[in-house]
Amino acid sequence: MKFNRRNLLIFLSSLFGLGFAVTVRRIFSTSQTLNVKNTNSQLPEKATISPSEIPTPSTSAPSGMFAPKKGDIRLVVISDLNSRYGSTNYESQVEKTIPLISEWKPDLVLCAGDMVAGQKLSLTEENIQAMWDGFDSYIFTPLRQIKQPFAITIGNHDASGYTEGGEFIFAKERRLAQEYWSQHQKDLNIEFLEAEKFPFYYSFLHKNIFYLIWDASSFYIPTEQLEWVEKSLASSQAQTAKMRIVMGHLPLYAVAVGRNKFGNVLAEAEELQTLLEKYNVHLYISGHHHAYFPGYKGNLKLLFTGALGSGPRVLLNSNLPPRNTLTIVDINLQENKSFFTTYNMNTLAVIEPEELPETITGFNGSIQRISV
C-alpha cells in the first residue's frame, strides 16, 4: 500500500497528539493541498444522500491536521468545554485547541454551551465570577484578540433555566452570566438583529446566514420564548437569508448513554422539529450529550456536538469509545448544502461517518446518520 505524506501525518498525529503533530507538520511545510471526505448534509428523498463536493479549491487546517475543502462559509463548532463543578481552568485538550481555531480560517465560531462548570447551589458569587474569569482567560481572550466572530448558547452549567415555583433555581448563575456577556456583547463581532434577551435568546445575521439562538439550558422552552422563535423565523430577515441555523444546548433527541432519558432532551421534540421545518431551518446544533453524531430526522439536519472538555460519552447503539471532538462545518450557499469534518481532538484523526451507527434509537425517537 502506498504510504503517502497525508497518511504519515494522520498516523503520527494519532500516536503523539497535538504537540508532536504540530512539529511534524512544520517539517513538511510545503505539503500539497489535501482533499477531505466530508459529510453531505443535504436531506435527500427517500432517506438517501448522494455525495457531493464543495467546488472550492482552498483548504486550511492547523499544522499537521487533515485539511477540509473550504466552503463559501466555514463554521467551527465547539461545545461542553467545562471541567468539574466550580473549576476555573480547563482540560489540556481544550487549552491546546483554542489557539488552533484561527488556523481553520472560520467565518464564525459557535459554542453550543457549557462554557463554565456551574449548576451547583453551593457555589458562591465569588466562585461563579472566578469561573467566568477563567473562561475569559482561557477561551474568549484568544478569540477576542483576533476579532474572531463568535456566538454562544447558554448551557445548563452556565446558567440553568430550570425553575421551581415560577422562580429560577439558579438565578444567581443566570444573573452573573448575563452580566459577563453584557460586558462582552460587542466583542462577539456579529450583527445582532434581536438582542433584548441576550445572552439567553437572540438572533443575528452573518454572511447571509440567519442564526437563531434559543435558551435550551433546560428541557422546557416557555411559550413566550417559542412565540418569539416563530416570529423571528418568519421575519423577512430570516426568510430572505440564504440559510437558517438554530442553536441550543439541549438536543431534540437522545444520542448518548447516560443522557437517554427525560430531562436531557427538549420536551415536545417533534413539535419543535415541526416548527423548525415550517420555516425551512437547515440545521439544529446542540451540545449536552457529549457525543458527536451527524444525523437527520424528517427534513431537519441535526448536529449533536461532542464534548471538547471533560466527560465525553458513548453513543447509543455503539461500542465506540468516548472521544473529545471539534466539528468544522463548510457551507455551500448556492446549493444550500453543508458538510461536516469532525476531529477526534485526542488523536487529531478525522472521524469517518461510516464509523458511527446508521441509526440511533433513544427513548424519544430514532434519527438517521448522514451518509457520504
Side-chain angles (χ1 to χ4, degrees):
M1 180 178 72
K2 185 177 180 180
F3 198 64
N4 61 28
R5 182 162 34 195
R6 171 178 166 244
N7 297 131
L8 177 61
L9 291 175
I10 294 174
F11 174 73
L12 291 176
S13 296
S14 300
L15 285 177
F16 300 108
L18 283 163
F20 187 77
V22 170
T23 302
V24 172
R25 183 60 179 83
R26 286 173 179 165
I27 294 173
F28 296 112
S29 60
T30 60
S31 67
Q32 64 185 19
T33 299
L34 299 173
N35 292 326
V36 65
K37 181 183 289 185
N38 287 310
T39 299
N40 185 340
S41 74
Q42 185 184 27
L43 296 177
E45 296 180 1
K46 299 182 180 179
T48 60
I49 297 179
S50 300
S52 179
E53 292 184 342
I54 297 176
T56 55
S58 59
T59 65
S60 53
S63 297
M65 295 179 69
F66 197 52
K69 289 184 177 180
K70 195 171 187 297
D72 302 321
I73 304 295
R74 170 168 286 184
L75 312 177
V76 168
V77 184
I78 55 177
S79 188
D80 298 275
L81 312 178
N82 54 6
S83 188
R84 66 188 183 279
Y85 284 114
S87 179
T88 59
N89 50 32
Y90 292 83
E91 303 287 332
S92 60
Q93 72 274 5
V94 179
E95 292 184 30
K96 292 175 181 178
T97 297
I98 298 303
L100 299 180
I101 285 177
S102 63
E103 298 185 43
W104 277 287
K105 301 187 185 304
D107 297 286
L108 178 66
V109 175
L110 296 174
C111 181
D114 280 2
M115 297 163 279
V116 299
Q119 201 179 22
K120 191 172 185 180
L121 291 172
S122 62
L123 292 172
T124 66
E125 187 161 325
E126 289 73 21
N127 294 149
I128 298 166
Q129 185 62 60
M131 288 193 298
W132 283 112
D133 289 343
F135 171 82
D136 193 78
S137 176
Y138 286 100
I139 311 298
F140 196 33
T141 291
L143 298 175
R144 187 167 63 236
Q145 287 175 339
I146 61 173
K147 300 186 183 303
Q148 173 64 58
F150 184 45
I152 58 98
T153 191
I154 293 294
N156 58 296
H157 289 293
D158 302 318
S160 172
Y162 284 102
T163 61
E164 186 175 274
E167 301 292 331
F168 288 113
I169 297 172
F170 297 95
K172 180 170 55 181
E173 293 184 8
R174 288 180 73 87
R175 174 174 56 82
L176 292 173
Q178 186 172 29
E179 288 179 4
Y180 173 80
W181 285 110
S182 294
Q183 293 170 7
H184 294 291
Q185 184 173 341
K186 292 182 179 178
D187 296 328
L188 294 173
N189 293 301
I190 54 179
E191 179 187 342
F192 287 92
L193 295 173
E194 298 174 87
E196 182 181 350
K197 300 294 184 178
F198 176 84
F200 302 109
Y201 56 95
Y202 60 99
S203 64
F204 65 97
L205 191 67
H206 192 74
K207 293 185 179 292
N208 291 316
I209 298 177
F210 175 88
Y211 295 86
L212 184 140
I213 312 299
W214 63 22
D215 186 357
S217 61
S218 72
F219 69 90
Y220 177 69
I221 299 179
T223 300
E224 177 185 0
Q225 187 182 156
L226 288 178
E227 290 173 352
W228 170 84
V229 168
E230 182 152 22
K231 181 180 177 181
S232 296
L233 290 175
S235 69
S236 60
Q237 295 100 324
Q239 291 303 305
T240 58
K242 297 290 187 181
M243 183 179 285
R244 285 148 296 284
I245 293 174
V246 174
M247 181 170 70
H249 186 57
L250 265 65
L252 296 173
Y253 301 98
V255 297
V257 173
R259 296 284 162 91
N260 184 28
K261 54 189 175 182
F262 180 80
N264 285 284
V265 297
L266 290 172
E268 301 179 341
E270 291 185 355
E271 289 82 353
L272 293 176
Q273 177 181 335
T274 297
L275 175 62
L276 300 185
E277 289 175 331
K278 176 181 177 181
Y279 294 103
N280 196 26
V281 170
H282 176 77
L283 172 64
Y284 179 59
I285 298 171
S286 62
H288 189 63
H289 278 218
H290 293 209
Y292 165 67
F293 190 75
Y296 69 92
K297 188 176 177 67
N299 292 318
L300 182 65
K301 180 163 177 215
L302 304 163
L303 171 56
F304 299 85
T305 309
L308 186 58
S310 64
R313 291 178 176 269
V314 175
L315 282 170
L316 296 172
N317 312 133
S318 170
N319 293 319
L320 292 169
R323 43 200 172 178
N324 299 105
T325 62
L326 172 149
T327 296
I328 307 299
V329 181
D330 283 301
I331 296 171
N332 183 323
L333 289 176
Q334 184 175 359
E335 297 185 21
N336 194 41
K337 295 179 181 178
S338 61
F339 301 76
F340 295 160
T341 305
T342 296
Y343 300 88
N344 178 340
M345 294 308 296
N346 306 113
T347 65
L348 304 187
V350 172
I351 297 175
E352 298 292 345
E354 293 86 352
E355 301 174 34
L356 307 173
E358 290 186 6
T359 302
I360 287 188
T361 301
F363 81 100
N364 68 332
S366 297
I367 56 173
Q368 302 299 310
R369 185 194 73 205
I370 295 171
S371 301
V372 175

